[in-house]
Amino acid sequence: GYCMISVLETMKTYSAEDGLTEEALVTKIRTCQCHHLFLHSSLKDNSSGTCRWTEFGEGGLLWGECKSRQFEWFEGNPVDELLFKVKELYGLEDDVTFRNVTVTSEDRPRPLHLGTATQIGALPTEGIPCLLKVLLPRDCSGLPVLYIRDLLLNPPAYEIASTIQEACKLMSNITCSVPEFTCVPSIKLVKLLELREANHIEFCKIKSLLDDILQMYRSPELNAILKLLMDPTWVATGLKVEFEILVNECRSVSGRIGEIISLEGEKDQKISTYSAIPGEFFEDMESSWKGRVKRIHLEEEFAEVDKAAEALSIAVKEDFLPILSRIKATTAPLGGPKGEILYVLIDEICRGTETAKGTCIAGSVIETLDAVGCLGIVSTHLHGIFDLPLRTKNAVYKAMGTECIDGQTTPTWKLIDGICKESLAFETALREGIPDSLIQRAEELYTSVYQPRIKHSTHSPNIYVSDRQTDDARKALGPPSKSVNQLEKLRVAVEKAVISICETKLIEFYGKKNVLELPPMKCVLVSAREQPPPSTIRASSVYVILRPDKSLYVGETDDLEGRIRAHRSKEGMQNASFLYFLVPGKSIACQLETLLINQLSDKGS
């Protein structure tokens, strides 16, 4: 048979495959993306000295494939001569060594015939549909498709094939979520590391991949699959590593990267801010390098930047602002006469109309005043303004300072930085002579209507419904908690509430008499950077999103992986967690979704 030697210059490896038929060799040449093709002189003549290229008319299948490409003849020992030519092509030193990652071809099944590979679409051919697209899920692309195609074109030994089959069986039966495994091209990564050009993004990708492996190692369900994948990985890459060595090295490298690289969520490298200088300036100057490496490794550099930013601010205040003030004194911002500086003082803006619309009108007025550079003060009790997505650059929030004297809250009549959503309405009314009984009743009404919202705000999330539901179904239970373990507490609370709400409907659906006769209902958590197990493919499910802001979103789908991907593609949702459970059919999924939307908020207390 024929022998094919493949050399990866970037990885500094080579491998040899022998015993190949002419069809198998042509198939491999068509599927591999080789930059240079070398043909050994032994192909010209067989042992009898008869030219082999003229066996089939114009030269045979292999010769026809090679003629369509650029190639070069070579002689001598195939491995030595080929490595020499590669070093010559890429300008490598003679002492550079290449590692042999050849996997033995003994006991391997025969590869597909060229015609078969073409007919099933494993080799892209115009006019022939690809069978792999029918066999695999619609959203399956990239590495999984290439791996399956390679298994068909280059079947592994029966032992390895059985291992792959066993891993697939285990994967199809797991109920826990699985890591996302966002793989990066190894050749590109090795090249960047070799040239010392890998940035923090590449290192974060490496750490994510290592952490995914460690997550599989720690999971009781995934650990067995990880062990089974060791040999198939060796066959696919030529890299044979012992299981415990892999785990230990992953733990070591992940920890080392975590010590150096600044990971997402670390807040010790904020962009500089000074009132006299536009924020966009510092954003342009510092965003390209801050947040890359932990500050502890660059303290001197950070100190120099902070010192330079402060010096710039002082220079602007002393040298530039006086000039600007003089210019403003000669041109009024709203078109008034020269020499006049306009100030705007607005007290209790839009209090004479309906609260919600008045709040929005007030917000629009504030945006307009901010845009024209007006100086002034706006006072209001419309606390909803602070929740509006206002587009302002210069507005700052101030509040009335208070102090407690003899158990009574009294104003200091001094402005302080920040937002205040409280009021001294009851205290003021009492001082103005309103009867105690009236104030007491007002406090009771306030407690009955507004106090539960405050109570919910420290314990429960907001409820958001899926896109197909109306806005009337949205129900809020309050803002997020500050506790570090609040997400886990939230998950447990939501899971209990979901099971409690759905059990009655499921009893009715299954025709059972009580909960004990129901099949066990299990909610599965899909945390950040995880995806649901294969058992959810084409299965109906109901899910609840545990959003980063601690609010909830209820939905149903027959494509959970796709729906999770769509949700996480939205801004601020990359780290959202999902709680889901499978149901028998889309009809019951829609009913349970509506049930949860209507009742889940009532469980928040």
Side-chain angles (χ1 to χ4, degrees):
Y2 293 89
C3 174
M4 185 176 81
I5 301 172
S6 304
V7 181
L8 284 177
E9 178 271 331
T10 307
M11 305 294 286
K12 303 297 184 291
T13 61
Y14 71 92
S15 61
E17 297 178 81
D18 54 14
L20 298 173
T21 64
E22 187 175 25
E23 283 199 344
L25 187 55
V26 171
T27 302
K28 287 181 177 294
I29 293 176
R30 288 187 184 179
T31 55
C32 71
Q33 298 178 345
C34 62
H35 297 289
H36 303 278
L37 178 63
F38 297 92
L39 303 179
H40 194 263
S41 59
S42 60
L43 291 172
K44 293 182 179 180
D45 300 287
N46 61 14
S47 57
S48 303
T50 305
C51 182
R52 303 177 65 176
W53 293 109
T54 57
E55 290 181 6
F56 304 99
E58 296 183 358
L61 188 64
L62 180 58
W63 177 239
E65 186 67 29
C66 294
K67 277 201 307 182
S68 64
R69 303 167 180 268
Q70 289 186 340
F71 68 88
E72 180 182 337
W73 293 100
F74 75 105
E75 298 180 346
N77 181 283
V79 173
D80 294 341
E81 289 298 323
L82 193 58
L83 292 179
F84 174 78
K85 287 188 172 294
V86 168
K87 292 179 181 179
E88 191 176 48
L89 275 171
Y90 291 96
L92 302 177
E93 299 292 336
D94 292 338
D95 57 354
V96 174
T97 59
F98 283 74
R99 205 156 29 89
N100 185 356
V101 293
T102 300
V103 178
T104 177
S105 59
E106 295 179 4
D107 300 324
R108 297 184 69 169
R110 291 187 177 184
L112 292 179
H113 288 286
L114 184 63
T116 306
T118 303
Q119 289 300 317
I120 68 172
L123 291 178
T125 307
E126 185 177 356
I128 299 179
C130 181
L131 181 61
L132 290 180
K133 293 183 177 179
V134 180
L135 294 175
L136 299 174
R138 292 191 304 272
D139 57 351
C140 185
S141 60
L143 288 175
V145 177
L146 294 176
Y147 183 64
I148 296 297
R149 187 189 73 170
D150 190 58
L151 287 178
L152 291 172
L153 296 176
N154 307 287
Y158 291 105
E159 183 180 356
I160 300 297
S162 299
T163 303
I164 296 174
Q165 189 179 58
E166 181 63 24
C168 290
K169 287 180 179 178
L170 291 179
M171 281 292 291
S172 65
N173 293 323
I174 63 172
T175 57
C176 66
S177 56
V178 296
E180 282 188 342
F181 273 112
T182 304
C183 297
V184 293
S186 56
I187 293 179
K188 174 185 175 182
L189 194 58
V190 168
K191 196 71 175 178
L192 290 173
L193 292 171
E194 188 178 56
L195 297 175
R196 296 181 179 272
E197 294 180 357
N199 59 26
H200 81 290
I201 297 177
E202 272 76 33
F203 281 108
C204 286
K205 289 180 179 178
I206 295 173
K207 179 172 170 55
S208 295
L209 189 59
L210 300 176
D211 290 344
D212 288 342
I213 295 174
L214 294 174
Q215 180 182 341
M216 291 190 70
Y217 174 74
R218 291 189 293 265
S219 169
E221 286 189 85
L222 301 178
N223 183 280
I225 297 174
L226 182 62
K227 289 181 179 178
L228 286 172
L229 291 176
M230 295 298 293
D231 283 345
T233 303
W234 160 54
V235 172
T237 64
L239 302 174
K240 191 172 181 63
V241 183
E242 296 297 328
F243 181 71
E244 291 300 330
I245 293 178
L246 171 71
V247 172
N248 291 335
E249 290 297 316
C250 286
R251 189 181 292 117
S252 173
V253 176
S254 174
R256 184 59 177 154
I257 293 176
E259 293 173 358
I260 304 294
I261 301 299
S262 181
L263 304 175
E264 185 180 357
E266 297 178 356
K267 304 297 184 182
D268 63 341
Q269 301 186 37
K270 294 181 179 179
I271 304 297
S272 300
T273 56
Y274 286 90
S275 59
I277 301 175
E280 293 87 347
F281 173 81
F282 289 114
E283 184 72 26
D284 292 340
M285 293 295 103
E286 299 179 4
S287 61
S288 62
W289 59 273
K290 277 191 174 180
R292 305 306 195 246
V293 178
K294 286 185 180 294
R295 180 162 184 152
I296 190 175
H297 304 293
L298 298 169
E299 285 293 356
E300 292 184 6
E301 289 78 2
F302 271 94
E304 287 184 21
V305 171
D306 293 341
K307 184 178 179 180
E310 184 179 6
L312 177 62
S313 176
I314 294 173
V316 169
K317 286 182 178 179
E318 294 179 350
D319 301 333
F320 181 71
L321 289 187
I323 300 174
L324 188 62
S325 298
R326 184 161 185 167
I327 294 174
K328 283 187 175 181
T330 59
T331 57
L334 296 181
K338 290 184 177 181
E340 179 183 353
I341 301 177
L342 297 185
Y343 291 88
V344 176
L345 302 176
I346 305 179
D347 183 41
E348 295 295 355
I349 183 172
C350 294
R351 285 294 289 177
T353 185
E354 184 262 323
T355 304
K357 293 179 181 177
T359 299
C360 294
I361 294 173
S364 180
V365 170
I366 292 172
E367 283 187 342
T368 303
L369 295 176
D370 180 86
V372 300
C374 180
L375 301 176
I377 296 177
V378 178
S379 67
T380 181
H381 279 86
L382 297 175
H383 298 153
I385 286 181
F386 305 124
D387 299 323
L388 297 178
L390 298 181
R391 295 191 293 267
T392 60
K393 294 183 179 179
N394 306 306
V396 294
Y397 294 114
K398 300 285 185 177
M400 176 67 73
T402 61
E403 58 184 354
C404 186
I405 301 176
D406 298 329
Q408 297 292 324
T409 302
T410 58
T412 63
W413 309 111
K414 294 181 180 180
L415 286 179
I416 61 173
D417 292 330
I419 294 174
C420 176
K421 293 187 177 182
E422 298 297 327
S423 96
L424 301 176
F426 294 147
E427 292 84 349
T428 303
L430 197 59
R431 280 199 304 269
E432 295 300 321
I434 303 297
D436 289 352
S437 59
L438 197 151
I439 298 297
Q440 184 177 355
R441 176 55 180 160
E443 289 179 339
E444 291 175 357
L445 292 173
Y446 179 81
T447 302
S448 65
V449 176
Y450 299 102
Q451 197 64 26
R453 298 182 185 177
I454 299 174
K455 179 181 178 182
H456 284 314
S457 71
T458 59
H459 298 289
S460 305
N462 297 319
I463 299 293
Y464 292 96
V465 299
S466 58
D467 296 338
R468 69 183 190 83
Q469 300 295 335
T470 63
D471 290 337
D472 293 337
R474 296 178 180 268
K475 298 185 178 181
L477 298 181
S481 171
K482 298 180 180 179
S483 172
V484 176
N485 297 321
Q486 192 65 23
L487 182 60
E488 177 60 21
K489 294 179 181 178
L490 174 63
R491 182 195 68 78
V492 174
V494 172
E495 182 173 354
K496 289 181 179 179
V498 167
I499 293 175
S500 174
I501 292 170
C502 295
E503 279 179 344
T504 303
K505 175 60 70 173
L506 291 174
I507 289 174
E508 176 186 333
F509 177 80
Y510 285 108
K512 303 297 184 181
K513 295 181 179 180
N514 54 55
V515 176
L516 297 177
E517 296 181 2
L518 282 177
M521 180 179 172
K522 182 178 181 181
C523 293
V524 180
L525 177 67
V526 181
S527 300
R529 293 184 51 249
E530 292 182 351
Q531 57 184 340
S535 57
T536 61
I537 296 176
R538 300 188 182 94
S540 297
S541 63
V542 180
Y543 64 91
V544 179
I545 305 180
L546 310 179
R547 294 159 54 108
D549 60 1
K550 305 302 186 296
S551 60
L552 303 181
Y553 177 110
V554 181
E556 61 81 24
T557 181
D558 286 342
D559 178 18
L560 184 59
E561 182 182 357
R563 187 64 63 86
I564 289 177
R565 190 186 309 112
H567 281 300
R568 286 177 174 168
S569 66
K570 298 177 182 178
E571 185 177 358
M573 291 290 290
Q574 291 80 5
N575 294 322
S577 297
F578 293 72
L579 199 66
Y580 78 90
F581 59 95
L582 300 180
V583 295
K586 191 171 185 66
S587 175
I588 187 66
C590 293
Q591 295 178 49
L592 292 176
E593 177 196 29
T594 303
L595 194 65
L596 287 173
I597 290 170
N598 293 331
Q599 298 186 21
L600 191 56
S601 59
D602 296 333
K603 297 286 184 178
S605 58

